[in-house]
Amino acid sequence: MDPVEDLRGYIDWLRKRNEIVEVGEPLSPELEIPSLLRKVMYSGGPALLLTNIKDFDGWRVAGNLFTSLRILREALSVNKLEEIGERLIPSAFFQPPSSTIQKVKAAGELMRLSKYLPSFVSKGSFEENVIEAAKNPLDKIPFFRTWPKDGGRYATFPMVITRDPESGIVNMGVYRVMILDGKRGVVHWQVHKRGALAQSHALERGMEEIPVAISLGSDPGTMLAAVSPIPYPIDKTLFAGVIRGRGVELVELPNGAPAISNAEVVIEGRVRLKELVNEGPFGDHWGYYDKPTEKYPLLLVDRVYLRDEPIYYGSVTGAPPLEDAVMGKAVERIFKPIINTLLPEVVEINYPPEGVFQGLLIVSIKKRFPGHAKKVMSALWGLGQSSLTKIIIVVDHDVDPNDIGKVIWAVSSNVNPQRDLVVIEGSHSDALDPANIAHSYGGKLGIDATRKLPEENLGKEWPELVEEDPTTAQKVAQLLQKLMEGRGSIDRFKE
Ligand SMILES: Cc1cc2nc3c(=O)[nH]c(=O)nc-3n(C[C@H](O)[C@H](O)[C@H](O)COP(=O)(O)O)c2cc1C
């Protein structure tokens, strides 16, 4: 068995590397644990395993498991997270195989993809205990109340699994679930997500409810897949296999929904599609409370399955950057090669963590023609969840989108507001964006901060960038080295 096969395996793996700290003080999942987790995340602290959960004997709670990109990369056994995205892109896509050997190799590569396929097993590790709905199982799980004015306790990292009624394809998304009582909740699948798409496919077919398997706590690859923006109709559990490097095992519940076999907890239930109830307030990842302005469907729980001595994993939200920013960055890196196959002109992308991922994207391109930056903006605004990005800044290939100072320089010096801003008034937007004018409806801003070609600049050449004379630069560089010997660099902008 792989060391990082499930949540426990991951925690043991973190323990061996001294990357997780056990906390024995009694703490409540109502405000106390979330507050500690946020403080640890803001301080760059380690993953935590809390062993003394007030009012929830027998439980342990794990948090900050997506501690850093490095830890995630090592847990997923890759040299670079981009390698994961590359797994989906056989080299034959780029070099049409001409020789027989190349053709055999290409076929082999496609075969290789088959090892990522999910498989069904007859029993999951979550089946060690079962609590039927009559016993109010949701009351027995240490779901968090993350902020004082939250409308209730929430499952903050539930992997909500459904089969799409149109195709039978498996959807798996992290959509928070507000706990109403011991056997009812509200599933917050936003309108642009696949759960909501399954809902509309079901409604078109006259269905009243969709069976659901909500899996809590799994290996980091599966959990990362659940937050990854994989377009319908690609099977989400297949993508989990791509991230993990091997297929996931699923168990079909009596209601027909597939659950993750290695989950700590599985909630079997039904989402009542026409019974819509107020959801929220919830202090979300934008750092604001979102108000119960939109109704979401009711979850009716039939039973809950749990492992012995279960471990609850919950994420916490608040002003960025928290743990979800690490997940977002990991997704950015994994998807970079995929973006590159669709938009080869893209050199680098950066969703700055403070930009909440749906807020701001900076992208550098190898510009070739007039209007190229706007072409890239349009493409990204038309592409899966990248279409939810509110502000896109496009810079030239020689500006690193991760160098915010350079980006500011490019915006300041290359932008003529009359010519280089794209404002889309009234467009779809992230459901939680506090600046929306109506639910899931706001606007977009594109900033073309590339140097302009004559066609874009009333026929005028763009001014030439200054560059040192190479001989002088070399001579002066040596002198500088001598001058700086033994000195740190001065912070010139500090009073
Ligand atoms: C901690 C966390 C909580 C999230 N909560 C929600 C949520 O409540 N509703 C939602 O629609 N998306 C939520 N997301 C984002 C989705 O998980 C993400 O968009 C994912 O790609 C959805 O899967 P889908 O594309 O298969 O629908 C959350 C992400 C994270 C990291």
Side-chain angles (χ1 to χ4, degrees):
M1 196 192 230
D2 194 286
V4 188
E5 188 53 44
D6 58 8
L7 184 68
R8 294 165 187 222
Y10 181 43
I11 289 170
D12 288 343
W13 180 89
L14 289 170
R15 198 180 280 122
K16 279 192 204 116
R17 292 164 170 250
N18 197 25
E19 305 273 18
I20 191 163
V21 171
E22 286 204 11
V23 179
E25 282 84 356
L27 285 174
S28 169
E30 301 249 353
L31 302 180
E32 291 179 355
I33 294 175
S35 173
L36 174 66
L37 286 175
R38 271 192 294 269
K39 286 189 168 51
V40 167
M41 290 171 197
Y42 287 136
S43 320
L48 296 185
L49 182 66
L50 298 109
T51 55
N52 192 348
I53 315 302
K54 255 194 222 163
D55 302 325
F56 292 90
D57 279 353
W59 282 87
R60 285 168 291 167
V61 168
N64 196 24
L65 294 180
F66 292 83
T67 327
S68 71
L69 287 187
R70 174 189 57 80
I71 291 176
L72 205 50
R73 178 181 59 68
E74 289 172 4
L76 296 172
S77 306
V78 286
N79 295 315
K80 278 172 83 180
L81 288 167
E82 287 182 28
E83 283 173 23
I84 294 170
E86 284 161 6
R87 287 175 183 158
L88 279 175
I89 312 166
S91 59
F93 285 12
F94 304 111
Q95 297 154 343
S98 48
S99 70
T100 309
I101 291 178
Q102 279 175 316
K103 280 181 188 151
V104 169
K105 214 175 131 207
E109 273 196 76
L110 289 172
M111 283 282 288
R112 178 181 55 81
L113 287 174
S114 67
K115 77 170 182 225
Y116 306 133
L117 289 170
S119 59
F120 277 88
V121 294
S122 56
K123 205 167 167 58
S125 36
F126 60 83
E127 289 180 80
E128 285 168 339
N129 304 278
V130 186
I131 313 177
E132 293 294 331
K135 293 199 169 151
N136 291 317
L138 298 185
D139 287 344
K140 300 180 170 47
I141 304 173
F143 295 120
F144 297 168
R145 179 192 295 272
T146 51
W147 290 103
K149 292 185 184 168
D150 281 358
R153 297 191 304 136
Y154 274 85
T156 53
F157 205 94
M159 293 178 280
V160 178
I161 306 180
T162 53
R163 274 188 196 283
D164 194 284
E166 183 186 71
S167 57
I169 292 282
V170 179
N171 292 321
M172 173 174 70
V174 170
Y175 316 122
R176 71 191 191 219
V177 174
M178 180 176 170
I179 309 302
L180 293 177
D181 56 36
K183 46 179 169 278
R184 295 182 317 143
V186 191
V187 182
H188 180 261
W189 51 41
Q190 296 158 7
V191 62
H192 309 117
K193 308 297 171 69
R194 291 176 54 161
L197 182 65
Q199 176 174 4
S200 46
H201 287 158
L203 289 171
E204 281 162 18
R205 282 161 181 74
M207 293 164 65
E208 299 273 326
E209 58 186 31
I210 304 185
V212 69
I214 301 179
S215 305
L216 306 177
S218 181
D219 60 276
T222 301
M223 295 201 286
L224 196 57
V227 296
S228 295
I230 303 301
Y232 176 78
I234 298 173
D235 188 301
K236 212 60 189 288
T237 54
L238 164 65
F239 190 72
V242 173
I243 296 190
R244 286 158 41 95
R246 60 204 181 283
V248 285
E249 291 186 344
L250 302 171
V251 173
E252 190 156 292
L253 298 185
N255 71 1
I260 300 295
S261 82
N262 69 20
E264 289 288 322
V265 179
V266 171
I267 301 170
E268 180 177 1
R270 291 159 283 144
V271 180
R272 300 284 302 164
L273 305 173
K274 291 182 182 162
E275 289 179 53
L276 305 180
V277 283
N278 279 346
E279 200 269 358
F282 179 75
D284 69 24
H285 66 300
W286 288 87
Y288 287 90
Y289 282 107
D290 43 83
K291 293 257 167 48
T293 50
E294 183 80 349
K295 293 180 187 301
Y296 284 89
L298 186 71
L299 165 75
L300 293 184
V301 173
D302 291 316
R303 59 194 58 79
V304 167
Y305 306 83
L306 353 133
R307 290 185 75 163
D308 290 336
E309 297 176 11
I311 304 176
Y312 176 75
Y313 165 65
S315 194
V316 289
T317 44
L322 288 167
E323 184 185 18
D324 56 334
V326 179
M327 297 175 206
K329 266 286 157 197
V331 169
E332 174 201 293
R333 289 299 92 196
I334 291 171
F335 277 75
K336 166 76 178 12
I338 299 168
I339 288 182
N340 271 132
T341 59
L342 303 169
L343 297 171
E345 61 269 65
V346 167
V347 177
E348 188 51 285
I349 55 174
N350 175 24
Y351 285 93
E354 292 78 5
V356 196
F357 294 85
Q358 285 85 12
L360 176 67
L361 165 65
I362 306 164
V363 51
S364 63
I365 62 164
K366 190 92 176 83
K367 181 168 171 173
R368 285 197 302 114
F369 49 80
H372 204 156
K374 289 176 186 163
K375 177 251 184 194
V376 169
M377 288 173 203
S378 313
L380 292 167
W381 279 327
L383 207 63
Q385 283 186 44
S386 96
S387 73
L388 295 175
T389 312
K390 181 160 61 176
I391 303 170
I392 298 181
I393 302 176
V394 185
V395 293
D396 283 303
H397 65 278
D398 52 0
V399 175
D400 178 0
N402 294 294
D403 185 341
I404 299 298
K406 277 271 165 59
V407 172
I408 293 173
W409 171 64
V411 170
S412 310
S413 54
N414 296 349
V415 171
N416 176 332
Q418 253 186 328
R419 174 194 53 201
D420 300 327
L421 300 188
V422 177
V423 176
I424 305 180
E425 285 177 30
S427 68
H428 78 298
S429 69
D430 178 54
L432 303 180
D433 183 341
N436 281 345
I437 49 177
H439 186 80
S440 302
Y441 192 68
K444 307 233 178 268
L445 170 66
I447 304 177
D448 174 359
T450 59
R451 292 183 290 273
K452 302 299 169 308
L453 295 166
E455 295 87 338
E456 299 169 316
N457 193 32
L458 301 173
K460 288 183 292 171
E461 288 288 335
W462 200 253
E464 195 182 339
L465 280 170
V466 292
E467 233 177 309
E468 294 276 2
D469 163 59
T471 324
T472 314
Q474 204 184 3
K475 182 172 165 191
V476 169
Q478 285 163 0
L479 187 55
L480 174 73
Q481 212 177 2
K482 236 165 82 189
L483 285 172
M484 294 296 284
E485 240 162 43
R487 288 175 177 273
S489 84
I490 300 165
D491 184 346
R492 292 176 298 147
F493 305 108
K494 202 166 168 191
E495 241 185 24

